[in-house]
Amino acid sequence: MATFLHKLGRLAFRRRHYVALVWVALLALAGVGAASASTATASSFSIPGTEAQRAFDLLDQRFPGAGADGATARVVFKAPDGEKMTDAGHKAEVQKITGELKSGSDQVASVTDPYATRAVSQDGTTAYLSVSYKVDMARLTDATRAALEETGGDARAQGLTVEVGGDALQAEPAIGGITEVIGVALAAVVLLVTFGSLVAAGLPLLTALVGVGVAICAITALANPLDLGTNSSSLAMMIGLAVGIDYALFIVSRYRAELAEGREREEAAGRAVGTAGSAVVFAGLTVVIALAGLAVVNIPVLTKMGFAAAGTVVLAVLIALTLVPAALGFAGKRVHGRKARAAMESRAADPAAGENAAARPNMGTRWARFVLRRPVTVLVTAVLGLGVVALPATSLELGLPDDGSQAPSTTQRKAYDLLSDGFGPGFNGPLIVLVDGKAENNAKAAATEVTERVKELPGVAAVTPATLNKAGDTATITVIPKDRPSSAGTEELVHSIRDAGSTIKSDDGAEVLVTGATAMNVDFAQKVNDALVPYLALVVGLAFLLLMVVFRSVLVPLKAALGFLLSVVATLGAVVAVFQWGWLAGLFGVEQTGPVMALMPILMVGVVFGLAMDYEVFLVTRMREAYVHGERPAEAVVTGFRHSARVVTAAAAIMIAVFAGFIGAGESMIKMIGFALAFAVLVDAFVVRMAIVPAALALLGKKAWWLPRWLDRALPNVDVEGEALNQHGADASHGSGGSDGGPGADRELVRV
């Protein structure tokens, strides 16, 4: 592989104008596709294989239009103290608003009359009307939204409280907000400090933005045909920026090191792509495996997000292997700052000065030696510390967001609270019980029996009379729980109704199914939990094999997987502490605590696993390279840190900055994922890879690099270390100074 990538790097450097032109053309083509694409609809949400989804599909068949995908809204009214919504004045005002909503937009399908539908609380203080739209929330016009937001202005002047809930006011997540810009700016600062050159610092940013631009435009262009939601774009942008900058950082760093060894620019670019590029390929493969592996969960929205992000990572790898060496050709000598160029000239004139400078250990060397002196202490301290951080994860509660998870200051949350106060906590999460009689006019008797049994169940606040379809073979019953939708009591009620329904089926053949948003939530969380172990087995297993090929070892990949699990549980603990318990919630802009979104843990596991393996590959590859060249295991650890610690630290800081930028997002899921990924990178890079890895390798010694002979013969040799480049005499293009990899090379490697 190293030989092929070496040739590719030299070709991209030599034909840089053509390479740059191809990527600019791809960006323009994707941009045209995005600009000409029709407005994307809201992504559909389904959970194949669950009872709630089966019932929802059956409901759509037997009650056409009942499962319509159009946006909905609820306008909630509360009378002033001492008054009731049934008072003549308030009643007239509500009916006036009903008429205005019907005539205010041609996108409105229907508006209910609260007095005709009995949508008034028992004490008469609260009422609501429901608005259904012909289109989903993504296609609502600004005028339609404005009309809904302005509803009730006159009523408020008369003392009524008017709030609006539902998905009609739900805004599409914005991409490229100010917080994301701040994250990229922080990444630029890290690059500038690392390289000491504006050109070298700007190059990874520029190439990463090209890759993200192509990916986001492609996702936008394909959003309608592939039913991609806006969360796919947000995740792709988040991952694409982070890995795009990091992969370019490693190529540029190795290129500068090769220049310092005296190689010509084209050869330096080829060797940078042949060595660091090999690590980029395998690091990218682990990320792609982790993201594409989300398909095993069999939740379409999660699968699409995973594939969209995986495609963005593939683009980042391709750009690192082609556009980055091409850009290095344009950069010329400016890839080094003035001070660095002066220092290189000084070392060339006075080799003794360079030798003395190289003798001084850098921070990575000093840290590695510290860990090697106290491996047990460092290992135990790091593991126990992560264990303490992980403790809150034992209280993890999963759920899906609704208006109750909105910030208390929003009108959606206020409407949610008004309905809870007026109609009971469970009113916002009704359960729909579907009775399939299996034959014409056979559902009525079964529905009557179901109604009576459900009324007797604990946790039920109210049960509405059954509604039959025209054929008489299906009935629906609405059940209002006593507890809020995301409570354990409501989840238990869902299971109780299903248990009761199974006995009815055995008696007369009728099938009882439970659906609705709350039941979907319960089934979704269960499906994600059930898929977590198979997903981990698949992803970790494939990555284990991949890392075994890279490192020619059994214990190193095993250690990498165990370290990843520590990072995951510690991150889940931090997420629970902040988003569920509310610790430091104000610091991170969390206005409303509650259950952790069911989608987040498995999505975080996929992304974090790929990123964790990035650092493992980049850090341990240098150790492996030193070990196969004859160094003792302890020396190889020090060498790996001397050459890679600074770059890995910079890469981690960049990822943290980029991910942390998404904590300021308005979308709660993106905020939570941004926090989780930033914290996971912090833990994995600075605790697991920088502390646990060297301590474990120090304790294992030569055993760390053990591989059975039969397995060594069976595994392909991918030559990540670039040994084939030395064996085939690729040094022919060396310049006169420092071609033997002497002190000047060490000094530059330490610097980058």
Side-chain angles (χ1 to χ4, degrees), residues 523-549:
D523 287 354
F524 183 86
Q526 186 62 50
K527 190 175 181 68
V528 170
N529 283 335
D530 292 344
L532 188 56
V533 173
Y535 172 70
L536 278 173
L538 173 68
V539 172
V540 175
L542 289 176
F544 182 86
L545 294 175
L546 191 64
L547 292 179
M548 225 172 18
V549 171

mmCIF file of all heavy atoms in Angstrom, residues 523-549:
data_model
loop_
_atom_site.group_PDB
_atom_site.id
_atom_site.type_symbol
_atom_site.label_atom_id
_atom_site.label_comp_id
_atom_site.label_asym_id
_atom_site.label_seq_id
_atom_site.Cartn_x
_atom_site.Cartn_y
_atom_site.Cartn_z
ATOM 1 N N ASP A 523 -40.791 1.606 21.956
ATOM 2 C CA ASP A 523 -40.258 0.581 21.053
ATOM 3 C C ASP A 523 -38.908 0.984 20.479
ATOM 4 O O ASP A 523 -38.033 0.139 20.266
ATOM 5 C CB ASP A 523 -41.248 0.320 19.914
ATOM 6 C CG ASP A 523 -42.466 -0.447 20.386
ATOM 7 O OD1 ASP A 523 -42.484 -0.861 21.564
ATOM 8 O OD2 ASP A 523 -43.407 -0.621 19.591
ATOM 9 N N PHE A 524 -38.748 2.279 20.227
ATOM 10 C CA PHE A 524 -37.484 2.768 19.678
ATOM 11 C C PHE A 524 -36.349 2.532 20.667
ATOM 12 O O PHE A 524 -35.280 2.016 20.314
ATOM 13 C CB PHE A 524 -37.610 4.257 19.360
ATOM 14 C CG PHE A 524 -36.389 4.852 18.724
ATOM 15 C CD1 PHE A 524 -36.202 4.789 17.357
ATOM 16 C CD2 PHE A 524 -35.418 5.474 19.485
ATOM 17 C CE1 PHE A 524 -35.073 5.328 16.759
ATOM 18 C CE2 PHE A 524 -34.294 6.025 18.911
ATOM 19 C CZ PHE A 524 -34.121 5.950 17.541
ATOM 20 N N ALA A 525 -36.581 2.914 21.918
ATOM 21 C CA ALA A 525 -35.547 2.729 22.946
ATOM 22 C C ALA A 525 -35.204 1.255 23.108
ATOM 23 O O ALA A 525 -34.028 0.882 23.240
ATOM 24 C CB ALA A 525 -36.019 3.318 24.270
ATOM 25 N N GLN A 526 -36.232 0.395 23.071
ATOM 26 C CA GLN A 526 -35.993 -1.039 23.215
ATOM 27 C C GLN A 526 -35.205 -1.592 22.031
ATOM 28 O O GLN A 526 -34.298 -2.408 22.201
ATOM 29 C CB GLN A 526 -37.330 -1.770 23.342
ATOM 30 C CG GLN A 526 -37.190 -3.254 23.651
ATOM 31 C CD GLN A 526 -36.498 -3.498 24.979
ATOM 32 O OE1 GLN A 526 -36.873 -2.925 25.992
ATOM 33 N NE2 GLN A 526 -35.481 -4.348 24.980
ATOM 34 N N LYS A 527 -35.545 -1.129 20.844
ATOM 35 C CA LYS A 527 -34.852 -1.618 19.642
ATOM 36 C C LYS A 527 -33.385 -1.204 19.649
ATOM 37 O O LYS A 527 -32.500 -1.990 19.286
ATOM 38 C CB LYS A 527 -35.546 -1.085 18.383
ATOM 39 C CG LYS A 527 -35.049 -1.717 17.097
ATOM 40 C CD LYS A 527 -35.851 -1.235 15.913
ATOM 41 C CE LYS A 527 -35.378 -1.878 14.617
ATOM 42 N NZ LYS A 527 -35.662 -3.311 14.551
ATOM 43 N N VAL A 528 -33.128 0.030 20.066
ATOM 44 C CA VAL A 528 -31.744 0.500 20.138
ATOM 45 C C VAL A 528 -30.963 -0.299 21.177
ATOM 46 O O VAL A 528 -29.818 -0.706 20.944
ATOM 47 C CB VAL A 528 -31.701 2.004 20.461
ATOM 48 C CG1 VAL A 528 -30.279 2.451 20.789
ATOM 49 C CG2 VAL A 528 -32.232 2.814 19.282
ATOM 50 N N ASN A 529 -31.581 -0.543 22.337
ATOM 51 C CA ASN A 529 -30.905 -1.323 23.385
ATOM 52 C C ASN A 529 -30.599 -2.745 22.910
ATOM 53 O O ASN A 529 -29.517 -3.278 23.162
ATOM 54 C CB ASN A 529 -31.772 -1.379 24.649
ATOM 55 C CG ASN A 529 -31.725 -0.084 25.435
ATOM 56 O OD1 ASN A 529 -30.764 0.670 25.335
ATOM 57 N ND2 ASN A 529 -32.764 0.190 26.200
ATOM 58 N N ASP A 530 -31.559 -3.354 22.213
ATOM 59 C CA ASP A 530 -31.359 -4.719 21.732
ATOM 60 C C ASP A 530 -30.266 -4.794 20.669
ATOM 61 O O ASP A 530 -29.591 -5.818 20.538
ATOM 62 C CB ASP A 530 -32.667 -5.274 21.150
ATOM 63 C CG ASP A 530 -33.729 -5.483 22.226
ATOM 64 O OD1 ASP A 530 -33.371 -5.501 23.413
ATOM 65 O OD2 ASP A 530 -34.919 -5.599 21.863
ATOM 66 N N ALA A 531 -30.101 -3.702 19.902
ATOM 67 C CA ALA A 531 -29.127 -3.718 18.797
ATOM 68 C C ALA A 531 -27.724 -3.339 19.248
ATOM 69 O O ALA A 531 -26.771 -3.535 18.491
ATOM 70 C CB ALA A 531 -29.579 -2.753 17.699
ATOM 71 N N LEU A 532 -27.574 -2.814 20.460
ATOM 72 C CA LEU A 532 -26.282 -2.282 20.879
ATOM 73 C C LEU A 532 -25.202 -3.364 20.932
ATOM 74 O O LEU A 532 -24.089 -3.169 20.428
ATOM 75 C CB LEU A 532 -26.412 -1.599 22.244
ATOM 76 C CG LEU A 532 -25.184 -0.821 22.728
ATOM 77 C CD1 LEU A 532 -24.778 0.225 21.710
ATOM 78 C CD2 LEU A 532 -25.463 -0.171 24.075
ATOM 79 N N VAL A 533 -25.511 -4.504 21.519
ATOM 80 C CA VAL A 533 -24.504 -5.568 21.637
ATOM 81 C C VAL A 533 -24.122 -6.138 20.268
ATOM 82 O O VAL A 533 -22.925 -6.257 19.958
ATOM 83 C CB VAL A 533 -25.003 -6.681 22.583
ATOM 84 C CG1 VAL A 533 -24.042 -7.865 22.562
ATOM 85 C CG2 VAL A 533 -25.126 -6.139 24.007
ATOM 86 N N PRO A 534 -25.089 -6.495 19.392
ATOM 87 C CA PRO A 534 -24.686 -6.954 18.049
ATOM 88 C C PRO A 534 -23.896 -5.906 17.281
ATOM 89 O O PRO A 534 -22.945 -6.243 16.557
ATOM 90 C CB PRO A 534 -26.027 -7.243 17.358
ATOM 91 C CG PRO A 534 -26.984 -7.485 18.466
ATOM 92 C CD PRO A 534 -26.543 -6.614 19.587
ATOM 93 N N TYR A 535 -24.273 -4.645 17.448
ATOM 94 C CA TYR A 535 -23.549 -3.571 16.756
ATOM 95 C C TYR A 535 -22.106 -3.485 17.241
ATOM 96 O O TYR A 535 -21.166 -3.399 16.442
ATOM 97 C CB TYR A 535 -24.273 -2.243 16.982
ATOM 98 C CG TYR A 535 -23.508 -1.046 16.470
ATOM 99 C CD1 TYR A 535 -23.355 -0.840 15.109
ATOM 100 C CD2 TYR A 535 -22.951 -0.119 17.342
ATOM 101 C CE1 TYR A 535 -22.651 0.252 14.625
ATOM 102 C CE2 TYR A 535 -22.252 0.969 16.878
ATOM 103 C CZ TYR A 535 -22.110 1.156 15.521
ATOM 104 O OH TYR A 535 -21.409 2.227 15.050
ATOM 105 N N LEU A 536 -21.925 -3.506 18.559
ATOM 106 C CA LEU A 536 -20.575 -3.461 19.110
ATOM 107 C C LEU A 536 -19.761 -4.665 18.642
ATOM 108 O O LEU A 536 -18.574 -4.531 18.299
ATOM 109 C CB LEU A 536 -20.633 -3.435 20.637
ATOM 110 C CG LEU A 536 -20.892 -2.080 21.288
ATOM 111 C CD1 LEU A 536 -21.098 -2.247 22.788
ATOM 112 C CD2 LEU A 536 -19.740 -1.119 21.019
ATOM 113 N N ALA A 537 -20.392 -5.835 18.635
ATOM 114 C CA ALA A 537 -19.675 -7.039 18.213
ATOM 115 C C ALA A 537 -19.221 -6.921 16.762
ATOM 116 O O ALA A 537 -18.077 -7.272 16.425
ATOM 117 C CB ALA A 537 -20.572 -8.264 18.393
ATOM 118 N N LEU A 538 -20.092 -6.419 15.898
ATOM 119 C CA LEU A 538 -19.747 -6.279 14.485
ATOM 120 C C LEU A 538 -18.641 -5.250 14.279
ATOM 121 O O LEU A 538 -17.615 -5.530 13.647
ATOM 122 C CB LEU A 538 -20.987 -5.878 13.686
ATOM 123 C CG LEU A 538 -20.739 -5.533 12.213
ATOM 124 C CD1 LEU A 538 -20.340 -6.777 11.436
ATOM 125 C CD2 LEU A 538 -21.980 -4.892 11.586
ATOM 126 N N VAL A 539 -18.846 -4.063 14.822
ATOM 127 C CA VAL A 539 -17.909 -2.966 14.580
ATOM 128 C C VAL A 539 -16.565 -3.244 15.236
ATOM 129 O O VAL A 539 -15.502 -3.107 14.607
ATOM 130 C CB VAL A 539 -18.514 -1.641 15.087
ATOM 131 C CG1 VAL A 539 -17.483 -0.531 15.016
ATOM 132 C CG2 VAL A 539 -19.731 -1.274 14.252
ATOM 133 N N VAL A 540 -16.588 -3.632 16.505
ATOM 134 C CA VAL A 540 -15.328 -3.892 17.201
ATOM 135 C C VAL A 540 -14.626 -5.096 16.583
ATOM 136 O O VAL A 540 -13.393 -5.111 16.451
ATOM 137 C CB VAL A 540 -15.582 -4.111 18.703
ATOM 138 C CG1 VAL A 540 -14.294 -4.511 19.417
ATOM 139 C CG2 VAL A 540 -16.140 -2.841 19.336
ATOM 140 N N GLY A 541 -15.386 -6.102 16.175
ATOM 141 C CA GLY A 541 -14.775 -7.275 15.554
ATOM 142 C C GLY A 541 -14.073 -6.939 14.253
ATOM 143 O O GLY A 541 -12.914 -7.331 14.033
ATOM 144 N N LEU A 542 -14.752 -6.194 13.370
ATOM 145 C CA LEU A 542 -14.136 -5.820 12.098
ATOM 146 C C LEU A 542 -12.924 -4.915 12.314
ATOM 147 O O LEU A 542 -11.881 -5.081 11.665
ATOM 148 C CB LEU A 542 -15.169 -5.125 11.203
ATOM 149 C CG LEU A 542 -16.278 -6.008 10.633
ATOM 150 C CD1 LEU A 542 -17.287 -5.172 9.860
ATOM 151 C CD2 LEU A 542 -15.689 -7.082 9.732
ATOM 152 N N ALA A 543 -13.067 -3.954 13.216
ATOM 153 C CA ALA A 543 -11.951 -3.045 13.478
ATOM 154 C C ALA A 543 -10.788 -3.793 14.130
ATOM 155 O O ALA A 543 -9.617 -3.479 13.878
ATOM 156 C CB ALA A 543 -12.411 -1.896 14.367
ATOM 157 N N PHE A 544 -11.101 -4.787 14.971
ATOM 158 C CA PHE A 544 -10.040 -5.592 15.594
ATOM 159 C C PHE A 544 -9.210 -6.292 14.517
ATOM 160 O O PHE A 544 -7.972 -6.287 14.567
ATOM 161 C CB PHE A 544 -10.666 -6.611 16.543
ATOM 162 C CG PHE A 544 -9.667 -7.467 17.263
ATOM 163 C CD1 PHE A 544 -9.086 -7.035 18.442
ATOM 164 C CD2 PHE A 544 -9.303 -8.704 16.756
ATOM 165 C CE1 PHE A 544 -8.160 -7.820 19.110
ATOM 166 C CE2 PHE A 544 -8.384 -9.500 17.413
ATOM 167 C CZ PHE A 544 -7.805 -9.056 18.598
ATOM 168 N N LEU A 545 -9.890 -6.876 13.546
ATOM 169 C CA LEU A 545 -9.173 -7.537 12.456
ATOM 170 C C LEU A 545 -8.346 -6.532 11.661
ATOM 171 O O LEU A 545 -7.199 -6.808 11.279
ATOM 172 C CB LEU A 545 -10.167 -8.247 11.528
ATOM 173 C CG LEU A 545 -10.925 -9.431 12.137
ATOM 174 C CD1 LEU A 545 -11.961 -9.956 11.147
ATOM 175 C CD2 LEU A 545 -9.965 -10.541 12.533
ATOM 176 N N LEU A 546 -8.918 -5.371 11.416
ATOM 177 C CA LEU A 546 -8.215 -4.333 10.656
ATOM 178 C C LEU A 546 -6.956 -3.876 11.394
ATOM 179 O O LEU A 546 -5.874 -3.752 10.803
ATOM 180 C CB LEU A 546 -9.151 -3.150 10.425
ATOM 181 C CG LEU A 546 -8.695 -2.080 9.437
ATOM 182 C CD1 LEU A 546 -8.569 -2.653 8.045
ATOM 183 C CD2 LEU A 546 -9.671 -0.914 9.442
ATOM 184 N N LEU A 547 -7.086 -3.651 12.699
ATOM 185 C CA LEU A 547 -5.931 -3.206 13.482
ATOM 186 C C LEU A 547 -4.896 -4.318 13.634
ATOM 187 O O LEU A 547 -3.695 -4.042 13.762
ATOM 188 C CB LEU A 547 -6.392 -2.723 14.860
ATOM 189 C CG LEU A 547 -7.231 -1.448 14.872
ATOM 190 C CD1 LEU A 547 -7.649 -1.099 16.292
ATOM 191 C CD2 LEU A 547 -6.481 -0.289 14.246
ATOM 192 N N MET A 548 -5.343 -5.572 13.623
ATOM 193 C CA MET A 548 -4.393 -6.676 13.670
ATOM 194 C C MET A 548 -3.529 -6.671 12.404
ATOM 195 O O MET A 548 -2.333 -6.953 12.452
ATOM 196 C CB MET A 548 -5.140 -8.007 13.804
ATOM 197 C CG MET A 548 -4.509 -8.883 14.845
ATOM 198 S SD MET A 548 -5.404 -10.404 15.282
ATOM 199 C CE MET A 548 -6.531 -10.731 14.004
ATOM 200 N N VAL A 549 -4.142 -6.349 11.273
ATOM 201 C CA VAL A 549 -3.394 -6.257 10.023
ATOM 202 C C VAL A 549 -2.403 -5.097 10.084
ATOM 203 O O VAL A 549 -1.257 -5.217 9.640
ATOM 204 C CB VAL A 549 -4.360 -6.082 8.835
ATOM 205 C CG1 VAL A 549 -3.602 -5.762 7.561
ATOM 206 C CG2 VAL A 549 -5.205 -7.330 8.647
#
